[in-house]
Amino acid sequence: MVTRIFGLSIVVTIVSLVVAFLYGGLTALALCAILGILEVSLSFDNAVINATILNRMSEFWQRIFLTIGVVIAVFGMRLVFPLAIVWVTAGLDPVKAFDLALNPPADDAAYFPDGSPSYETLLTDAHPSIAAFGGMFLAMLFLNFVFEEREDTWLSWLEKPLAKAGKLDMLSVVIAGLGLVLAGEFLAADDDRSTVLISGLLGIIVYIAVDGLGSMFHTEEFEEGSSGPSEAVKATGKAAFFLFLYLEVLDASFSFDGVIGAFAITSDPIIIALGLGLIGAMFVRSITVYLVRQGTLSEYRYLEHGAFWAIGALAFILIVSIKFHVPELVTGLIGVAFIGAAFITSILANRRDDADSDKAPVSVS
């Protein structure tokens, strides 16, 4: 099972490293490997959330996401997205933007008569708006989770009061909106304030739209059925399509920090595509498949909770990064810490349940 799931990722990794070596020698090979490790460490919580949502989708739509969705993640977010930012912010056509990324000139005057900065700087300058959009989208995802009542709680001392507070309708929107206003006021530079506010508002709107449409069509399918929702019911049709869109936007939000962080290592889009896209995205796909096929989320009850708390931390980091630089290592370690703590407490909870079942008296008929 493990070999079959991770086999393709291992092959893609080897091929990517060989291509990187042929492209730029040992330096390119090392950079590609570092970026692959960076992406996997930053995106483990992404894989857990992907698996949670995929469990709600039919097998057909699971395959769609794990094939077409991965292609979008590899080429869309890790290659086209950085170039698109440069197209928009610098007013370059796609060919010149790609040429500038591959061959950054000593003097940018060839493309920018007024002496505007390079490709890497342009992408970095766009970070406040990217961070605002991604931070607000992830914040909505996290807030809707913690404000929802559920049978199992992980950090019960905190999750139970938050669930009670969540009975106030639209509280997640109120909190996210307040956070956006504070970010625009205290974190955004004067020149970026309007951009940050608009980008953050778009992040909230996109979340509400995609999540709402998915829920609406899922509910309609249950109403048309005979027995209503159950664990056996999987989203199909329009409901699954909107869950697919939801996953794509979610993956994009998770990818922001990795793509921006990659430019601290290299600005070469080919190396970024090989390291983040092929190696990183393929391993995230394999981890997602493993979690779904093995039923890991049901076996380790708090793993989903840990992933959502990691999302909350990532949303906070993205918003803070509008003004302050947060090292990618810190972002990755926080996510791993939440997932690891949830995994360990799940094991301990399972052992307690087993011990309690062994102590339970056996009834004699």
Side-chain angles (χ1 to χ4, degrees):
M1 170 71 76
V2 174
T3 303
R4 187 171 74 251
I5 292 175
F6 287 92
L8 179 60
S9 296
I10 294 172
V11 170
V12 169
T13 297
I14 294 172
V15 172
S16 298
L17 292 175
V18 170
V19 171
F21 176 75
L22 295 175
Y23 174 73
L26 289 174
T27 300
L29 186 149
L31 292 174
C32 183
I34 291 171
L35 288 175
I37 295 171
L38 172 70
E39 178 69 0
V40 174
S41 65
L42 289 175
S43 300
F44 190 82
D45 46 357
N46 188 8
V48 176
I49 298 302
N50 285 349
T52 302
I53 299 172
L54 280 174
N55 275 328
R56 298 162 52 190
M57 301 169 70
S58 67
E59 187 175 344
F60 169 78
W61 278 99
Q62 288 181 10
R63 288 197 301 268
I64 292 294
F65 175 75
L66 293 171
T67 51
I68 298 175
V70 170
V71 171
I72 295 173
V74 171
F75 295 102
M77 281 307 303
R78 277 74 174 185
L79 181 60
V80 177
F81 171 70
L83 291 172
I85 292 176
V86 177
W87 302 342
V88 174
T89 58
L92 296 177
D93 63 69
V95 176
K96 286 186 177 180
F98 189 69
D99 181 53
L100 177 62
L102 287 176
N103 306 293
D107 182 3
D108 288 337
Y111 296 111
F112 308 105
D114 60 350
S116 298
S118 65
Y119 173 86
E120 179 181 355
T121 304
L122 283 168
L123 186 60
T124 303
D125 289 344
H127 177 73
S129 58
I130 296 170
F133 179 91
M136 285 298 106
F137 184 91
L138 293 179
M140 286 293 298
L141 179 63
F142 166 71
L143 291 171
N144 275 339
F145 177 82
V146 296
F147 287 148
E148 181 182 344
E149 284 192 298
R150 58 192 71 252
E151 183 177 348
D152 288 327
T153 55
W154 180 40
L155 305 176
S156 300
W157 58 274
L158 183 56
E159 292 182 3
K160 287 183 177 180
L162 288 174
K164 289 182 180 179
K167 292 179 180 179
L168 178 62
D169 195 28
M170 303 299 289
L171 181 60
S172 58
V173 178
V174 172
I175 299 297
L178 178 61
L180 178 60
V181 171
L182 293 175
E185 181 66 25
F186 297 107
L187 297 177
D190 292 339
D191 295 340
D192 295 330
R193 184 166 291 126
S194 61
T195 303
V196 165
L197 291 174
I198 292 173
S199 299
L201 182 60
L202 285 174
I204 295 174
I205 290 172
V206 169
Y207 175 85
I208 294 174
V210 177
D211 182 63
L213 287 170
S215 300
M216 180 182 70
F217 286 113
H218 205 186
T219 301
E220 287 180 357
E221 287 186 1
F222 290 145
E223 290 173 349
E224 291 170 2
S226 57
S227 59
S230 71
E231 289 297 321
V233 176
K234 300 291 185 180
T236 59
K238 288 179 285 190
F241 173 71
F242 282 109
L243 281 177
F244 173 80
L245 292 181
Y246 181 83
L247 276 171
E248 289 302 317
V249 178
L250 183 61
D251 179 77
S253 299
F254 271 104
S255 301
F256 290 151
D257 61 327
V259 172
I260 298 299
F263 280 86
I265 299 172
T266 177
S267 60
D268 191 318
I270 301 300
I271 301 299
I272 291 175
L274 290 172
L276 290 188
L278 290 177
I279 297 177
M282 285 302 297
F283 265 100
V284 172
R285 174 192 181 277
S286 294
I287 295 171
T288 301
V289 173
Y290 180 81
L291 293 173
V292 173
R293 299 288 184 263
Q294 294 292 103
T296 307
L297 295 178
S298 59
E299 182 178 355
Y300 301 101
R301 68 188 76 175
Y302 301 132
L303 206 55
E304 181 182 0
H305 293 256
F308 273 100
W309 279 100
I311 287 174
L314 177 57
F316 178 77
I317 288 172
L318 280 172
I319 297 302
V320 169
S321 70
I322 292 174
K323 183 174 182 179
F324 303 101
H325 172 68
V326 180
E328 286 69 35
L329 179 62
V330 173
T331 305
L333 288 177
I334 288 176
V336 170
F338 274 113
I339 297 292
F343 179 73
I344 292 172
T345 52
S346 296
I347 293 176
L348 296 176
N350 290 339
R351 288 178 179 175
R352 285 197 302 270
D353 290 346
D354 292 339
D356 292 341
S357 63
D358 291 339
K359 293 178 182 179
V362 178
S363 60
V364 179
S365 57

